[in-house]
Amino acid sequence: QKVDSASVVPGLLSIFHEQELTETIHDTNGHGYLATFVGKNGRLVVLRVHSHGLVTIDLQCHEDDNIAQLDNLLNALENKLKVLLNGNITRIKRLPALVRGAKVDRYWPTADGRLVEYDVDEVVYEEDSAYQNIKILHSQQYGNILVLDGDVNLAESDLAYTQAITGNGRENYAGKEVLILGGGDGGILAELVKQKPKMVTMVEIDQKVIDGCKMYMRRTCGNTLDTLRGDCYQILIEDCVPLLKKYVQEGRTFDYVINDLTAIPISTAPEEDSMWEFLRLILDLSVRVLHPKGKYFTQGNSVNLKEALSLYEEQLGKLSCPVDFQKEVVCVPSYLEQWVFYTAWKK
C-alpha cells in the first residue's frame, strides 16, 4: 500500500536526532522521500520512503563502532515503524551486515547471479599466473576453496562434484585409458587412480594451480600432484587443444575423456562468444579421440541457467561425430546451487 512520508518521517526523525545524526533531505523529483543522516562517529544512515509503499533504512558504520548501540538504534526504528504504520506492514526484515573492504573477501556470486557470503577467514594461497588469478581460501564449513578469476571452482568438501564428473560410481576404470582435460585441483585424478586404470593422462595448462593445490587442497588431491608421473598416471603441463589435435592425427583413442576445463558459458549468444567457440572445439576434438564405446564426461552449469544449458545441448547435436547424451543434477556443497553434469557417447 502507499505510504505517506509526511506521517512516517517525523516519527523516525526523533530517533535519529537522539543519536546526534545530522539530516540532509534530497530532492527525488516527486519519487518519494530520501534523506541521509551523518553522525560524528562516521555513521551514515540512508532513509528512503518509496511512494509505492517500500520503506528502506540502510546503515553504514565502521567495524569498531558500538554494535550494541547500533542494534538498539535498529530496534528502535523497527518498533517505531510498526507503530507509525499501525500494523499495516506486509513484511519487515533486517538483513545481516555486509562487510566491505575486509582483508578477506567473503562474497562470491553464484552462476545465476545471487550473492553468497562464505565463512572464509583466510587467503592461504594467491598467485597471478599467465592465465588467471588463483586463490585458495579457507572456509570453516567447506575446507579450502579453489577460486579462479573470482569463480568458485572446487572446495575440499566437494567430493560430490568429482563423483558426478566421473560417473557417480557407475563406471569401472580398472585397466582403462583416461584423458582428463584440466583438473588442476587433482580431485578427479586422485579418485581415478584408486581404481587401478591402465593410464590416466591429465592435461593442465597452469602449473601454478597445481602448485597451490598440492599444498593447500590435500583433502582433494591426496599426494597425486606431488609428482607429474605415477604408476598409472601422467600430468602434462600444456595446452590441451594442440595435444587433442595431435591425438586425432595419430588416431589415439581413450576409454574416457573427462572435460574439467570450464563450465558452460552463461552468455546465450554462442555465435558471438569466443568461449562457446572454445567449448565447441573441445567437444568436437574430445569425441574424436573417444573410443567407439567410450564415454565423455563434463560439467554443465547451474540448473537455473536453462537457456545456456539448452544451447549446450544443441551444440552436442551439431558435432561432426553424432552423440547421444544424458544429464544429471547434483548438489555441490560449496556452490550452494544445483549443478548439471553431462555424459555423452558415440551413436
Side-chain angles (χ1 to χ4, degrees):
Q1 64 181 33
K2 290 190 175 182
V3 174
D4 180 12
S5 59
S7 63
V8 172
V9 172
L12 298 177
L13 287 179
S14 61
I15 297 175
F16 291 128
H17 294 157
E18 287 172 9
Q19 296 288 327
E20 298 184 327
L21 294 163
T22 304
E23 172 192 9
T24 302
I25 299 174
H26 304 271
D27 184 8
T28 64
N29 197 25
H31 296 285
Y33 174 89
L34 172 64
T36 52
F37 301 84
V38 179
K40 294 177 182 177
N41 53 4
R43 288 180 195 167
L44 170 67
V45 179
V46 180
L47 169 63
R48 185 74 192 264
V49 182
H50 299 263
S51 54
H52 66 274
L54 176 66
V55 179
T56 60
I57 300 173
D58 298 315
L59 170 62
Q60 296 182 23
C61 61
H62 193 266
E63 63 180 348
D64 295 332
D65 210 331
N66 186 316
I67 300 301
Q69 196 177 82
L70 293 173
D71 278 340
N72 289 336
L73 170 59
L74 292 172
N75 288 334
L77 289 167
E78 186 174 321
N79 292 331
K80 178 64 81 170
L81 274 173
K82 290 176 181 177
V83 171
L84 292 170
L85 296 174
N86 296 315
N88 294 323
I89 299 175
T90 303
R91 180 175 70 249
I92 187 165
K93 187 176 183 68
R94 187 189 304 182
L95 300 175
L98 291 174
V99 181
R100 295 176 172 176
K103 185 177 180 181
V104 180
D105 186 5
R106 297 185 295 188
Y107 303 100
W108 302 94
T110 59
D112 59 352
R114 292 172 292 110
L115 184 64
V116 173
E117 180 176 3
Y118 286 88
D119 59 345
V120 296
D121 52 18
E122 184 182 1
V123 179
V124 298
Y125 179 84
E126 181 169 14
E127 288 286 339
D128 285 306
S129 73
Y131 308 101
Q132 57 204 336
N133 172 262
I134 306 156
K135 288 186 181 73
I136 300 178
L137 312 174
H138 176 259
S139 158
Q140 297 173 55
Q141 285 188 83
Y142 305 117
N144 287 341
I145 306 173
L146 175 65
V147 179
L148 301 178
D149 280 343
D151 180 45
V152 173
N153 269 53
L154 194 79
E156 290 181 307
S157 63
D158 295 343
L159 181 60
Y161 177 99
T162 304
Q163 290 174 331
I165 205 169
T166 55
N168 261 331
R170 294 184 292 267
E171 306 299 322
N172 178 11
Y173 288 93
K176 302 294 175 59
E177 295 229 26
V178 185
L179 177 63
I180 302 172
L181 307 178
D185 53 71
I188 297 170
L189 181 61
E191 288 303 306
L192 293 186
V193 297
K194 296 174 184 176
Q195 298 193 40
K196 308 289 190 232
K198 180 179 179 182
M199 176 58 66
V200 178
T201 300
M202 180 178 124
V203 189
E204 167 60 54
I205 199 171
D206 201 337
Q207 177 70 56
K208 288 189 176 182
V209 172
I210 290 176
D211 291 343
C213 291
K214 72 181 179 184
M215 289 188 290
Y216 298 108
M217 298 283 288
R218 300 292 288 190
R219 280 170 50 193
T220 295
C221 66
N223 63 2
T224 55
L225 299 181
D226 292 351
T227 174
L228 296 180
R229 183 175 289 273
D231 292 339
C232 61
Y233 71 89
Q234 60 177 341
I235 301 172
L236 307 179
I237 309 299
E238 58 183 283
D239 185 346
C240 70
V241 173
L243 187 65
L244 281 168
K245 290 179 177 178
K246 175 173 171 283
Y247 287 160
V248 169
Q249 289 178 343
E250 294 173 350
R252 176 90 182 269
T253 60
F254 296 86
D255 299 295
Y256 295 95
V257 177
I258 302 172
N259 177 2
D260 193 33
L261 292 170
T262 180
I264 293 170
I266 294 173
S267 160
T268 53
E271 67 283 352
E272 300 171 4
D273 192 324
S274 61
M275 279 300 295
W276 277 102
E277 289 183 19
F278 175 73
L279 203 68
R280 277 193 293 265
L281 177 62
I282 295 296
L283 260 173
D284 190 64
L285 291 171
S286 296
V287 172
R288 290 171 70 183
V289 300
L290 200 59
H291 185 275
K293 293 185 178 180
K295 287 185 179 179
Y296 172 80
F297 291 110
T298 190
Q299 61 165 318
N301 211 312
S302 167
V303 72
N304 286 343
L305 297 176
K306 299 186 188 313
E307 192 173 353
L309 293 169
S310 294
L311 281 168
Y312 178 72
E313 290 165 20
E314 285 181 23
Q315 308 309 311
L316 286 171
K318 295 177 181 178
L319 298 177
S320 58
C321 180
V323 298
D324 283 324
F325 71 91
Q326 65 184 29
K327 59 186 174 182
E328 184 172 12
V329 177
V330 172
C331 180
V332 180
S334 76
Y335 289 13
L336 295 172
E337 55 188 325
Q338 299 278 80
W339 210 251
V340 179
F341 292 83
Y342 287 91
T343 306
W345 57 92
K346 293 180 179 179
K347 288 186 177 180

